[in-house]
Amino acid sequence: MSKKKTQIVVVGGGAGGLELARKLGARYGRKQHDIILVDRNRTHIWKPLLHEVAAGSLDANLDEVGYGGHAARWGYRFFYGSLESIDREAGTITTAPLVDPDGEEVLGRHTIRYDYLVLAIGGVSNDFGIPGVREHAMFLEQRSQADTFRHKLLNACFRANLESMDGTPGAKVQICIVGGGATGVELSAELFNAAKGLRNYGLEVFDENTLAVTLLEAGPRILPALDEELAQTARSELEALGVEVRTSTQVVEVTPKVVRTKDGGKVDADLILWAAGVRGAHGVAAMSDLELNRLGQFIVRPTLQSVSDDRIFCIGDCASCTLPGSERPIPPRAQAAHQMAETVFRNLGRIMAGRAPQDFVYRDHGSLVSMSRFATVGSLMGNLVGGRMAIEGRLARMAYRSLYRMHILAIHGWFKGTALIVIGHVNQIVRPRLKLH
Ligand SMILES: Cc1cc2nc3c(=O)[nH]c(=O)nc-3n(C[C@H](O)[C@H](O)[C@H](O)COP(=O)(O)OP(=O)(O)OC[C@H]3O[C@@H](n4cnc5c(N)ncnc54)[C@H](O)[C@@H]3O)c2cc1C
């Protein structure tokens, strides 16, 4: 009788999970162990691209990866489903029934056995319980939300264009973005890049002056992860584009077309986007009895194993990992998810070989913020640059782009990855600069 294979289940095929599933599949899949990736979507798009998808300057169809084909290539199995619960005693996860937009059930509730489970389900924007945010603001947590934002943005632009053609004075597209972190800043700039191009795509009288973008930040300055000087450079760039940046401005309520602030002010907006920090996914507390922090993230030990269960690892935005000697948890970033995936890959190998898992070591390579083609600012960290080095301009842009290239190589391997990077360059030349549908 053949020996029962060890079953490793990875839930969430995002920045961390997809890289891990590929590595596990390539190393153990088919022959030794059964590797299963579960995701609630059928395709993967790298989350840091979502602001470009939302503004229309990137066609997500070209950059998406279908899990089915990827799984077949790399020797793991893909299961389409949304994690509903974890039964630690039985060693199983259950996925929720999938229902199509007409209410018809596509797949029923399903249970999958695991020997080891890796949770990589990402996070959501923190609404801090502020009234109206969930109901009336939009988010950039997944591709469908970026698509919804783009459709609404285009409709508002078409409306403003028509009003201008009809002679209505002062036609505007008013957009309020809440959260002065990387997502809010990058989206603000990307909107102006898109608006500059719209005139060439049929909106004859539309120009970027028609956009009225307000960026609200509760803290005293934008981009708290960057040095103050770089953050100030970013602010000046945004203001030069026409973005109204308001710091120390706390939002207290969101209604369908108005954002109200604590100082008694209000911002009228056709579109409201909420990008104010990261917390654990909704409903995570009901999924299992794994210990969570106050933001609903799974608390892990330095080995990235849940503090509640040695057989369960958690990586990326869904994990709360504070390393010894550090006061703050690892920040929710793509580079952290990538590094955690590598550690869990090694630790699973060690555990299955009867060796002790090793602690995660986080290497902060710096932070970069891209303001579309207008500017890129950030800092690089490491021995090569002698500690911390502030960078701007072309070098920063190249470093920013290389992050995505590294992700492409990590999920496709060198050969296909390099080919896809070249194809991406060709597409930039031959494809339209804006996605208008
Ligand atoms: C607009 C934007 C710009 C960003 N820019 C940068 C940047 O420049 N640099 C940087 O380092 N970071 C950036 N980030 C943050 C970065 O994207 C995240 O830190 C990173 O994606 C986290 O990776 P992850 O694997 O933990 O989760 P994710 O990449 O979010 O992946 C989570 C996966 O889990 C799946 N999933 C979720 N719930 C379930 C469920 N219940 N069942 C099954 N599957 C589920 C999702 O479909 C998804 O595929 C940006 C984020 C955004 C939104």
Side-chain angles (χ1 to χ4, degrees):
M1 216 174 75
S2 67
K3 200 174 147 232
K4 201 168 160 196
K5 286 183 183 175
T6 303
Q7 196 146 299
I8 304 174
V9 177
V10 179
V11 186
L18 186 57
E19 290 187 20
L20 179 62
R22 182 238 154 186
K23 279 186 139 216
L24 290 169
R27 175 76 170 271
Y28 305 111
R30 296 191 186 108
K31 290 172 278 180
Q32 279 172 287
H33 306 315
D34 210 356
I35 314 297
I36 301 173
L37 174 68
V38 179
D39 200 286
R40 61 179 176 194
N41 293 313
R42 277 181 286 213
T43 55
H44 159 86
I45 178 106
W46 198 52
K47 215 170 166 183
L49 297 178
L50 286 183
H51 66 284
E52 294 181 43
V53 178
S57 40
L58 184 119
D59 184 346
N61 294 332
L62 302 176
D63 282 74
E64 263 182 339
V65 180
Y67 289 118
H70 191 261
R73 164 69 185 85
W74 291 106
Y76 66 88
R77 288 196 283 150
F78 171 63
F79 190 86
Y80 176 39
S82 181
L83 177 67
E84 187 178 58
S85 62
I86 302 167
D87 183 338
R88 296 202 287 126
E89 216 166 290
T92 58
I93 62 160
T94 299
T95 57
L98 277 174
V99 180
D100 73 12
D102 302 327
E104 200 172 323
E105 192 171 283
V106 183
L107 291 172
R109 189 170 271 111
H110 189 78
T111 296
I112 302 172
R113 180 186 73 78
Y114 67 79
D115 294 299
Y116 297 100
L117 175 65
V118 183
L119 297 173
I121 57 174
V124 295
S125 302
N126 197 345
D127 62 21
F128 302 97
I130 296 167
V133 176
R134 281 280 142 203
E135 296 80 2
H136 308 302
M138 284 180 277
F139 299 87
L140 277 188
E141 290 153 11
Q142 46 183 315
R143 178 180 166 180
S144 56
Q145 294 169 333
D147 286 338
T148 303
F149 184 91
R150 189 181 65 258
H151 289 308
K152 292 196 175 191
L153 172 68
L154 284 170
N155 288 345
C157 293
F158 277 107
R159 237 183 344 258
N161 185 62
L162 195 63
E163 281 171 19
S164 297
M165 284 168 79
D166 289 347
T168 311
K172 288 274 180 203
V173 175
Q174 295 174 305
I175 302 171
C176 181
I177 298 173
V178 185
T183 305
V185 169
E186 290 183 343
L187 179 65
S188 302
E190 202 60 60
L191 290 171
F192 279 86
N193 177 38
K196 270 180 187 288
L198 281 175
R199 191 197 283 262
N200 303 327
Y201 289 84
L203 280 78
E204 286 144 29
V205 296
F206 193 88
D207 70 32
E208 63 272 25
N209 297 321
T210 313
L211 280 190
V213 178
T214 308
L215 179 66
L216 302 180
E217 165 58 45
R221 68 177 174 96
I222 61 166
L223 299 173
L226 293 191
D227 292 344
E228 192 146 5
E229 211 176 306
L230 287 171
Q232 187 50 49
T233 307
R235 181 176 181 147
S236 305
E237 289 285 349
L238 289 180
E239 286 173 342
L241 286 173
V243 179
E244 187 185 346
V245 181
R246 290 196 212 162
T247 48
S248 304
T249 305
Q250 213 176 315
V251 172
V252 290
E253 190 190 7
V254 175
T255 63
K257 293 259 174 194
V258 176
V259 177
R260 293 187 194 284
T261 57
K262 196 175 176 185
D263 54 15
K266 71 179 179 89
V267 180
D268 295 317
D270 302 300
L271 287 93
I272 302 164
L273 188 111
W274 193 266
V278 174
R279 54 158 296 131
H282 304 295
V284 91
M287 282 179 186
S288 72
D289 57 352
L290 293 173
E291 197 171 329
L292 303 171
N293 68 5
R294 62 182 176 81
L295 289 174
Q297 293 160 307
F298 303 104
I299 305 178
V300 293
R301 286 195 289 261
T303 54
L304 303 180
Q305 288 161 299
S306 156
V307 289
S308 319
D309 194 321
D310 277 356
R311 289 195 299 158
I312 301 182
F313 291 81
C314 311
I315 63 172
D317 289 2
C318 73
S320 170
C321 175
T322 307
L323 293 174
S326 171
E327 282 167 18
R328 288 166 159 245
I330 306 289
R333 294 205 195 139
Q335 57 170 313
H338 161 75
Q339 292 176 35
M340 287 177 165
E342 295 204 322
T343 298
V344 169
F345 173 70
R346 278 197 305 275
N347 277 347
L348 282 169
R350 291 178 69 88
I351 291 170
M352 289 189 290
R355 293 154 69 201
Q358 289 178 326
D359 284 359
F360 174 58
V361 178
Y362 178 56
R363 291 192 177 81
D364 185 352
H365 297 304
S367 298
L368 290 158
V369 176
S370 162
M371 278 162 284
S372 189
R373 61 197 168 85
F374 307 111
T376 306
V377 295
S379 56
L380 292 183
M381 309 265 285
N383 296 336
L384 215 60
V385 295
R388 192 183 184 94
M389 184 178 87
I391 54 168
E392 288 178 44
R394 195 177 283 260
L395 182 63
R397 181 90 190 136
M398 274 166 57
Y400 181 84
R401 285 279 160 212
S402 71
L403 287 176
Y404 181 46
R405 292 194 188 117
M406 277 160 54
H407 177 65
I408 292 179
L409 295 174
I411 59 171
H412 293 294
W414 282 97
F415 183 69
K416 187 172 175 188
T418 308
L420 286 171
I421 291 168
V422 173
I423 291 168
H425 281 295
V426 175
N427 276 333
Q428 273 178 5
I429 300 165
V430 300
R431 295 251 170 195
R433 272 192 30 226
L434 290 180
K435 181 171 162 61
L436 290 181
H437 51 276

